[in-house]
Amino acid sequence: MVYVYALSQPPSDAPGGCGLDGAPLRIISTKRLAAVVSDRGAAAPRVSEDALWAHERVVEQFMLERAVLPMRFGSTVADDGAVRTMLVTRQQELTVALQRVSGAVELGVLATYEKESRTDDQPAAAGRGAGTAYLLRRAASHRRARALAERLDRSLAELSRARLHRPLSCAEPRVRAAYLVDHADVDAFRGRIATLNAEVEDAQIACTGPWPPYSFTAAQAP
Amino acid sequence: MSSESVILAERGSTAHQRAAAARDVTLLELLDRLLEGGVAIDGELTLAVADIDLVRVALRLVVASVDSLEPGADDRAPQNGA
């Protein structure tokens, strides 16, 4: 089996270092695109913190020198031929996606704010017998998150190429977003986050990254 | 990226709590990107990642732990004017 970490234009040199389970890295190229891969046995990788970081380290090392499209964790195919087939059949889409992220990195923005009521805002406790109150609190929380997200977007739009708001699975008092930011604007973006964190009194706003552009690998903005 | 690059607000909690929260935030951000983002291989070529459901459970636990370590959660008075 072949495990795929990231795609790029064909690199001029082979990557150094190791990937998952210490397997050496190598490149599979077509005329226009390349994949950085390592070989493994029959099994798909198990998810663990160490394995996730091993994948992330390979992508980060590879992106130091070139624009990359990171692969989703666990991307395992049968053999080199399957990798080449993917690179050829999806060449147009992948080339456009590479151009979209070229010269940029992804920055994560995480905002949390005080819950209206800490003790009884737990869905497990409030969901039964107080359904209406729970739903009202949940709606208020969503309105608050939307207002905060819009304020972030207004302030950060000029410093980013694109952004993605991550859907939240429950009524958490938080906003999570990813922004695609030019290398040259990363420091200014972080400075803007610090300013927002100071300005917005009832929220904690933090920035993570730079990350490979995991949230911006589609050829078109969603 | 390293946990040092997570900028968390300075007010409130102890250094130990901040370090733990920063680590959890980084892991949450990593999980989210590597398991939900990135280029996905076409279905017929790929193998399912083992344990994916277990990971989703773990992700929810991380989210819960980040909530409980929210900087300043313990020692700031509730604000009414929000």
Side-chain angles (χ1 to χ4, degrees), chain A residues 17-52:
Chain A
C18 296
L20 286 172
D21 300 321
L25 300 175
R26 61 190 179 86
I27 296 288
I28 298 173
S29 288
T30 62
K31 192 188 283 183
R32 299 278 301 277
L33 292 169
V36 57
V37 306
S38 65
D39 296 303
R40 57 178 300 112
R46 299 180 78 83
V47 178
S48 69
E49 196 171 342
D50 285 349
L52 291 168

Side-chain angles (χ1 to χ4, degrees), chain A residues 172-221:
Chain A
E172 311 158 58
R174 64 173 74 234
V175 172
R176 300 186 63 214
Y179 289 80
L180 188 63
V181 180
D182 281 18
H183 286 296
D185 288 331
V186 168
D187 287 345
F189 189 97
R190 284 189 167 137
R192 189 71 60 89
I193 292 292
T195 303
L196 282 164
N197 188 46
E199 283 177 2
V200 183
E201 283 191 354
D202 59 341
Q204 310 266 341
I205 303 167
C207 185
T208 69
W211 297 94
Y214 286 101
S215 305
F216 303 98
T217 53
Q220 299 287 326

Side-chain angles (χ1 to χ4, degrees), chain A residues 4-215:
Chain A
V4 191
Y5 300 86
L7 310 178
S8 72
Q9 294 183 326
S12 53
D13 53 343
C18 296
L20 286 172
D21 300 321
L25 300 175
R26 61 190 179 86
I27 296 288
I28 298 173
S29 288
T30 62
K31 192 188 283 183
R32 299 278 301 277
L33 292 169
V36 57
V37 306
S38 65
D39 296 303
R40 57 178 300 112
R46 299 180 78 83
V47 178
S48 69
E49 196 171 342
D50 285 349
L52 291 168
W53 280 118
H55 177 111
E56 173 67 9
R57 271 194 301 273
V58 171
V59 179
E60 287 189 13
Q61 181 198 348
F62 203 53
M63 74 182 279
L64 289 176
E65 305 288 333
R66 58 189 69 76
V68 305
L69 293 175
M71 296 295 293
R72 186 168 298 179
F73 181 85
S75 295
T76 311
V77 297
D79 52 28
D80 289 18
V83 177
R84 289 200 184 86
T85 299
M86 176 182 73
L87 295 180
V88 169
T89 57
R90 296 170 66 181
Q91 175 174 299
Q92 188 178 3
E93 164 212 339
L94 294 170
T95 302
V96 171
L98 261 178
Q99 287 166 351
R100 185 174 175 232
V101 301
S102 184
V105 293
E106 177 174 333
L107 293 176
V109 174
L110 178 70
T112 59
Y113 48 85
E114 296 281 323
K115 292 176 181 175
E116 280 76 10
S117 168
R118 271 193 175 272
T119 49
D120 60 10
D121 200 29
Q122 302 302 322
R128 310 204 199 324
T132 305
Y134 167 67
L135 289 174
L136 285 173
R137 269 201 306 280
R138 194 174 162 133
S141 182
H142 280 206
R143 277 197 302 276
R144 209 172 167 201
R146 204 157 44 235
L148 185 53
E150 284 168 4
R151 174 158 187 186
L152 293 175
D153 276 347
R154 277 198 304 277
S155 182
L156 298 168
E158 64 179 345
L159 292 173
S160 57
R161 292 187 193 178
R163 66 113 174 83
L164 174 83
H165 282 286
R166 297 176 178 279
L168 299 174
S169 55
C170 57
E172 311 158 58
R174 64 173 74 234
V175 172
R176 300 186 63 214
Y179 289 80
L180 188 63
V181 180
D182 281 18
H183 286 296
D185 288 331
V186 168
D187 287 345
F189 189 97
R190 284 189 167 137
R192 189 71 60 89
I193 292 292
T195 303
L196 282 164
N197 188 46
E199 283 177 2
V200 183
E201 283 191 354
D202 59 341
Q204 310 266 341
I205 303 167
C207 185
T208 69
W211 297 94
Y214 286 101
S215 305

Side-chain angles (χ1 to χ4, degrees), chain A residues 1 46-47 49 52 60 70 72-73 90 106 144 166 172 174 176 202-204 206 208-209 211 214 217, chain B residues 1 7 9 11 23 29 31-41 47 49 51 55 63 67 71 76 82:
Chain A
M1 306 295 295
R46 299 180 78 83
V47 178
E49 196 171 342
L52 291 168
E60 287 189 13
R72 186 168 298 179
F73 181 85
R90 296 170 66 181
E106 177 174 333
R144 209 172 167 201
R166 297 176 178 279
E172 311 158 58
R174 64 173 74 234
R176 300 186 63 214
D202 59 341
Q204 310 266 341
T208 69
W211 297 94
Y214 286 101
T217 53
Chain B
M1 76 161 253
I7 304 161
R11 49 194 173 181
R23 185 176 174 282
E29 293 272 280
L31 273 168
D32 214 19
R33 285 176 169 77
L34 267 64
L35 297 180
E36 307 283 340
V39 176
I41 292 175
L47 295 176
V49 175
D51 309 327
V55 168
V63 170
D67 269 345
R76 264 197 297 159

